[in-house]
Amino acid sequence: MTGCSVEEATCGGGEYPVMSIGGTGSACVPNDEEPPKGYTRYPEGKVPEHVGDEWDTYWQTHTVDEDGKIVEVPQGG
C-alpha cells in the first residue's frame, strides 16, 4: 500500500472547476483566468473536488441560472 489516493481529481493542479450556466456541463480553468462565457464558478462550499464526491453527484441534477440561483435540472435536460 502506497498511501496514494485513488480518487480522481476534478481538475488538475493549477486549475479550478467551473460549471455551465443552466446546464450540467463543467470545465477546468487555469487559476489565473476567469470562467469562459456561459460558465461560472461553483457556489462557495459546494465545489466538487473529486469525481463521484458529494458535490460532483449533486451537480449532475442541479445547476445555476443566469441570476446565480441554484435550480434543479429539468428531466431529460
Side-chain angles (χ1 to χ4, degrees):
M1 209 180 223
T2 62
C4 292
S5 173
V6 295
E7 294 178 310
E8 185 179 342
T10 303
C11 290
E15 298 179 317
Y16 66 94
V18 294
M19 63 189 304
S20 61
I21 297 170
T24 58
S26 63
C28 294
V29 177
N31 287 338
D32 60 349
E33 293 182 17
E34 289 299 313
K37 185 173 176 67
Y39 285 81
T40 187
R41 294 174 186 263
Y42 285 92
E44 189 172 341
K46 298 179 179 175
V47 181
E49 294 182 14
H50 296 95
V51 175
D53 72 11
E54 173 188 6
W55 293 116
D56 182 57
T57 302
Y58 178 84
W59 292 116
Q60 292 175 19
T61 57
H62 293 78
T63 190
V64 293
D65 64 16
E66 298 81 16
D67 299 319
K69 180 180 171 189
I70 296 173
V71 294
E72 284 195 50
V73 177
Q75 288 288 337

